[in-house]
Amino acid sequence: YDPETPQYSTGDPTSFAYISARERWPVIITQGIDDVHRSAWATQDEEVLKEGKWIVSELARLKYELQHDREITPLPDDGREDVEGYNKELKALGNPRWHSVPWLYSECYLYRRISSIFQQTQKWKSYDLFARQKMSTFRSSRPAVLELAARYKDIVTGFESEHTIKGAKTQEELEEAEKILFIEMCEICLWGNATDLSLLTNLSYEDIQKLQGSEARKASEKNIVVNDLGKAFAVLTSAQHSGKKERRVDIVLDNAGFELFVDLILAGYLLAAGLAATVVLHPKTIPWFVSDVLPQDFASLISALADPQAFYSALSDDDKQAGKTPTPLSNAEVSNLSFLFGHWSRIHAEGQLVLRPNMFWTEGGSYWRLPKTAPSLYEDLKESELVIFKGDLNYRKLTADAAWPTTTPFSEAIGPMGPASGVRILALRTCKADVVVGLLEGEDERIKATEGGGEDSGARKWAWSGKWAVVQFSDGKA
Ligand code: F6P
Ligand code: MG
């Protein structure tokens, strides 16, 4: 169930895969080693320390194999069901080396292999080596978080008390306003993805903050190369007008921290606006691509909001060293954040906001395989009015990370998840990898010719940095 079009490979010097394998992954492993080192040496428990040392040595071994372009070794049997699938595929690929292997498989393998190291211990099984990074970038998103919290409170109270949007007088105005608001909410949710941690090896906190404010969002609209939000809105409103009670929207999550925060903003808005009756969130089950959401990240976010003053008065080590003191939140800011906390806790407790993990999301293959290899998940997704796939990796998996011509229609590039799948899909993706489909003739060339776009280097550099985005819809009909 894979396409015939070849996939991007770490051996192709014009692909972002090449740089990823050689430059980014070793840095990510090193950061992981530092994190485990910190936790291991902070403990009084002999066994934890002993296992911590072993984890560090295994991570160092993995880094060595990667940097010296060794053969990728089969995963050890760590008791999880997906080992066999990973190892079968490795064999089918002909026991490849790190520097010349399909990008998608090898990058998934990397995180699965890291997870297997922790799985083999007693004391570190549920440890997330990326948790520290995730929470500290969330803390540094404070300005955008406060701005959005204020906006969210306004919108949701508007819907709850007056069942309307402020200022809309006629039915037509109301519908137009609803559509604009939907688009804004989705675009917030889209750009929240521009700041994932696996790319942070080269972004400063200031850069992140600039990326997140509303000014930045307006300026970025011209960077959404394809924008199908109107189609997605039409699907949700027609379900709403049909009088159907069980209307569900799914979000296949990407990153924790600020991105999860904006995903919850979108989810809460969809529920308050009546565009969905339930929102199902799909997190990962093992630490994944550095910043992806685990169920415990959801819990950490909610508990940060439970006492926001305490959360924001804790300083990062860097800030402490720089002699900074925390600025307390104002009363209004605390009240806006408490409103968020209250609303999210309530919709979660009432079962309108559901978390539904599945091991399929961390397998090594693309979503072309979903209908065959994860049939119950497939049936489940068909029940949804709209399945929103967040972020770059989900997009790569939808399109099988294959080197499609950029004018290939989106619904064709997603294969079995496209026409006749019965699944309505909306991809919200800031581009951080080579694969891009659904463009108009000449568009790729036009953007390539912009500054840093890649020009005639043979590389699609414009699609690597998160500066450009695509929002694409497939209706899943025959
Ligand atoms: O392109 C860099 C990269 O790390 C890819 O390897 C991966 O697909 C993606 O970014 C992760 O980004 P996201 O969190 O948006 O899926
Ligand atoms: Mg991610």
Side-chain angles (χ1 to χ4, degrees):
Y1 343 110
D2 295 331
E4 278 162 24
T5 308
Q7 293 185 298
Y8 287 98
S9 155
T10 60
D12 173 0
T14 64
S15 164
F16 194 46
Y18 190 90
I19 304 170
S20 290
R22 287 163 185 74
E23 292 169 21
R24 290 177 41 245
W25 299 349
V27 174
I28 288 169
I29 301 174
T30 307
Q31 288 168 345
I33 292 176
D34 289 346
D35 174 87
V36 174
H37 201 273
R38 247 177 97 175
S39 297
W41 266 264
T43 167
Q44 307 295 338
D45 184 329
E46 282 296 313
E47 193 55 26
V48 173
L49 177 60
K50 192 172 140 224
E51 286 190 337
K53 287 183 185 166
W54 180 79
I55 294 171
V56 166
S57 70
E58 286 297 300
L59 287 170
R61 184 222 299 263
L62 171 60
K63 181 174 158 189
Y64 181 91
E65 291 172 5
L66 163 64
Q67 289 191 301
H68 292 82
D69 191 24
R70 294 292 150 90
E71 253 183 33
I72 301 182
T73 57
L75 291 175
D77 182 3
D78 60 10
R80 280 176 65 108
E81 284 161 31
D82 56 348
V83 171
E84 200 190 328
Y86 266 99
N87 289 344
K88 251 196 192 156
E89 182 130 13
L90 192 59
K91 222 171 165 185
L93 289 169
N95 301 315
R97 292 173 182 276
W98 279 102
H99 292 176
S100 172
V101 55
W103 182 14
L104 182 62
Y105 174 80
S106 56
E107 197 167 22
C108 295
Y109 170 94
L110 174 72
Y111 291 96
R112 182 60 184 84
R113 167 84 176 269
I114 292 174
S115 158
S116 85
I117 298 173
F118 292 87
Q119 283 303 312
Q120 292 172 75
T121 65
Q122 289 306 317
K123 306 268 185 173
W124 294 76
K125 280 192 198 302
S126 60
Y127 185 81
D128 176 4
L129 71 170
F130 304 124
R132 270 199 191 99
Q133 294 184 56
K134 292 188 226 182
M135 234 24 204
S136 86
T137 28
F138 179 65
R139 198 172 266 120
S140 63
S141 318
R142 171 171 160 163
V145 165
L146 296 178
E147 179 191 327
L148 290 172
R151 187 113 177 71
Y152 186 83
K153 186 178 173 188
D154 260 7
I155 294 169
V156 172
T157 44
F159 278 121
E160 285 182 343
S161 58
E162 298 151 48
H163 305 282
T164 186
I165 296 173
K166 266 184 215 151
K169 288 182 207 83
T170 62
Q171 184 61 22
E172 254 170 27
E173 274 180 21
L174 182 62
E175 274 168 26
E176 188 53 28
E178 274 176 354
K179 182 168 173 185
I180 291 171
L181 194 53
F182 173 81
I183 291 178
E184 187 191 349
M185 289 292 149
C186 288
E187 286 181 3
I188 289 171
C189 192
L190 165 72
W191 292 113
N193 174 256
T195 56
D196 85 285
L197 295 175
S198 68
L199 282 177
L200 265 193
T201 44
N202 46 32
L203 265 189
S204 75
Y205 284 162
E206 272 179 3
D207 290 336
I208 305 179
Q209 294 184 348
K210 269 189 230 145
L211 272 170
Q212 292 170 342
S214 63
E215 287 300 319
R217 232 165 30 238
K218 269 173 225 146
S220 298
E221 213 161 43
K222 63 177 188 318
N223 289 2
I224 305 177
V225 192
V226 179
N227 194 340
D228 285 344
L229 284 174
K231 293 181 192 165
F233 182 69
V235 162
L236 296 182
T237 42
S238 90
Q240 182 181 25
H241 296 152
S242 75
K244 191 171 163 191
K245 286 255 145 35
E246 289 299 311
R247 286 172 293 110
R248 193 176 116 191
V249 171
D250 286 54
I251 307 180
V252 182
L253 298 171
D254 186 4
N255 304 313
F258 183 71
E259 184 171 356
L260 177 60
F261 179 84
V262 290
D263 292 340
L264 293 173
I265 294 257
L266 177 66
Y269 155 76
L270 290 172
L271 293 168
L275 289 169
T278 323
V279 175
V280 179
L281 305 174
H282 301 265
K284 307 297 189 297
T285 46
I286 58 172
W288 192 246
F289 284 70
V290 187
S291 33
D292 280 33
V293 179
L294 297 174
Q296 60 258 41
D297 295 317
F298 177 78
S300 315
L301 180 61
I302 300 288
S303 58
L305 294 175
D307 189 353
Q309 200 65 278
F311 177 71
Y312 283 117
S313 60
L315 285 178
S316 71
D317 289 347
D318 287 350
D319 285 349
K320 268 183 225 157
Q321 266 168 12
K324 288 191 186 159
T325 46
T327 320
L329 297 169
S330 71
N331 289 343
E333 288 166 343
V334 171
S335 135
N336 295 341
L337 289 172
S338 302
F339 179 85
L340 272 184
F341 171 73
H343 191 233
W344 291 349
S345 308
R346 192 171 75 239
I347 55 183
H348 185 46
E350 287 172 356
Q352 289 175 280
L353 181 68
V354 184
L355 230 55
R356 195 169 292 168
N358 191 300
M359 284 200 20
F360 174 78
W361 304 119
T362 52
E363 285 180 8
S366 84
Y367 300 158
W368 276 54
R369 300 179 184 174
L370 196 157
K372 286 266 163 47
T373 61
S376 54
L377 175 61
Y378 179 50
E379 291 309 312
D380 186 39
L381 296 180
K382 282 198 228 171
E383 298 289 310
S384 183
E385 300 304 323
L386 187 67
V387 184
I388 301 176
F389 285 87
K390 293 290 317 282
D392 187 74
L393 178 64
N394 276 324
Y395 189 87
R396 287 171 61 200
K397 285 200 157 194
L398 281 168
T399 56
D401 207 31
W404 304 102
T406 54
T407 50
T408 312
F410 177 67
S411 58
E412 184 186 323
I414 63 178
M417 291 298 280
S421 65
V423 183
R424 275 181 292 269
I425 289 179
L426 179 71
L428 296 183
R429 181 241 190 168
T430 65
C431 305
K432 301 172 196 161
D434 305 271
V435 58
V436 186
V437 298
L439 302 191
L440 293 174
E441 196 69 56
E443 194 68 349
D444 182 32
E445 293 72 14
R446 177 184 76 79
I447 310 177
K448 266 193 185 139
T450 62
E451 203 195 320
E455 278 158 280
D456 38 21
S457 63
R460 187 172 297 128
K461 289 195 183 151
W462 65 266
W464 297 354
S465 65
K467 174 181 169 192
W468 299 87
V470 286
V471 175
Q472 291 171 322
F473 176 77
S474 162
D475 72 6
K477 287 195 195 124

